[in-house]
Amino acid sequence: MKRALTPRDIAAKKWKTLPWNERWSKPFGFPAENASWFISGASASDKSSFVMQLAKELCKYGPVLYMSYEERVNQSFQRRMGYLKMNEVQGRFRVVPESTLDELVERLKKPKSPKFVIIDSFQVAPWDYSKAKELMDSFPKKSFIWISQEKKSQPMGSGAMKLKYICDMKVRVVGYKAYCQGRAIGEAGSYYVVWEEGLIRTSNNL
């Protein structure tokens, strides 16, 4: 049986947080480096661009592994990497277009393995909620970033809904803007602009 924690025990806990700039800290605060993320959004919301921008930012703090189950490495994925200049993080960013859970576990067990792991998307990855939770429990020092498809403005499937609840950072991308829905929320009412030109066009149309 694990020991029950006192208020003093909890107050004494320390976390290493992401020391990023105001563009990121204003909407998302300063989450722990090993925080779990759940990012959802409808098709054409620019969710994929946001995820790639987040990946590039996280490369400043450790190696990033992008598990591209949904798109693999198609033309749109290649174009996205091009216009976001992912070549600038050549040494810290890697993409795996397909992998079993066992292969991913073996990869993460290796010395100097990735610190941040992006799974895009949960619905296409070859495992369910219980395996996803087991993966996070097995590597508590790593940050797992789960990307989710949506149906009627909600994460698609009961497994995705359960996963959203246990993740630290819950982000939803809507109309070229990324909103933090908890738990580490930055300044009230703020959001991350994914594509400024698209946001201006949308505003003008409205």
Side-chain angles (χ1 to χ4, degrees), residues 113-182:
S113 61
K115 187 172 185 176
F116 304 96
V117 184
I118 298 171
I119 294 93
D120 187 3
S121 64
F122 171 74
Q123 285 80 8
V124 182
W127 53 67
D128 57 12
Y129 166 78
S130 61
K131 291 295 183 182
K133 186 176 185 305
E134 184 180 326
L135 184 63
M136 291 193 290
D137 291 341
S138 299
F139 299 96
K141 293 183 179 180
K142 297 187 183 297
S143 171
F144 288 91
I145 301 162
W146 303 92
I147 317 306
S148 175
Q149 300 171 358
E150 282 192 350
K151 184 177 181 180
K152 296 182 179 179
S153 302
Q154 293 295 330
M156 187 183 296
S158 59
M161 287 294 292
K162 288 194 288 185
L163 186 59
K164 177 181 178 179
Y165 277 106
I166 67 169
C167 284
D168 302 305
M169 303 294 294
K170 310 170 203 301
V171 178
R172 185 161 187 256
V173 184
V174 184
Y176 312 118
K177 296 182 284 188
Y179 296 89
C180 187
Q181 299 177 321

Side-chain angles (χ1 to χ4, degrees), residues 4-190:
L5 300 176
T6 67
R8 183 180 297 175
D9 293 331
I10 295 171
K13 280 184 169 290
K14 304 289 184 184
W15 282 271
K16 187 175 182 181
T17 58
L18 296 173
W20 48 21
N21 61 29
E22 187 179 6
R23 186 187 180 196
W24 292 92
S25 65
K26 196 170 181 180
F28 305 119
F30 295 94
E33 286 191 350
N34 66 337
S36 54
W37 291 65
F38 185 92
I39 302 170
S40 63
S43 179
S45 65
D46 227 14
K47 177 181 75 223
S48 296
S49 291
F50 170 71
V51 173
M52 194 68 78
Q53 289 175 45
L54 175 63
K56 187 175 183 180
E57 176 66 21
L58 292 175
C59 282
K60 296 177 181 178
Y61 316 112
V64 176
L65 179 66
Y66 198 120
M67 307 297 295
S68 185
Y69 289 106
E70 188 168 315
E71 284 188 283
R72 304 289 177 100
V73 179
N74 59 15
Q75 284 182 304
S76 63
F77 192 90
Q78 183 187 57
R79 284 196 301 270
R80 194 176 308 121
M81 287 193 63
Y83 70 71
L84 291 174
K85 300 179 181 179
M86 296 303 288
N87 62 301
E88 294 176 349
V89 291
Q90 174 75 19
R92 289 198 161 194
F93 183 72
R94 293 289 185 272
V95 178
V96 175
E98 55 183 316
S99 173
T100 65
L101 178 58
D102 289 340
E103 288 170 342
L104 175 58
V105 169
E106 284 304 307
R107 189 183 295 270
L108 297 180
K109 285 181 177 178
K110 292 180 179 180
K112 299 181 180 179
S113 61
K115 187 172 185 176
F116 304 96
V117 184
I118 298 171
I119 294 93
D120 187 3
S121 64
F122 171 74
Q123 285 80 8
V124 182
W127 53 67
D128 57 12
Y129 166 78
S130 61
K131 291 295 183 182
K133 186 176 185 305
E134 184 180 326
L135 184 63
M136 291 193 290
D137 291 341
S138 299
F139 299 96
K141 293 183 179 180
K142 297 187 183 297
S143 171
F144 288 91
I145 301 162
W146 303 92
I147 317 306
S148 175
Q149 300 171 358
E150 282 192 350
K151 184 177 181 180
K152 296 182 179 179
S153 302
Q154 293 295 330
M156 187 183 296
S158 59
M161 287 294 292
K162 288 194 288 185
L163 186 59
K164 177 181 178 179
Y165 277 106
I166 67 169
C167 284
D168 302 305
M169 303 294 294
K170 310 170 203 301
V171 178
R172 185 161 187 256
V173 184
V174 184
Y176 312 118
K177 296 182 284 188
Y179 296 89
C180 187
Q181 299 177 321
R183 297 180 170 103
I185 302 177
E187 192 172 303
S190 62

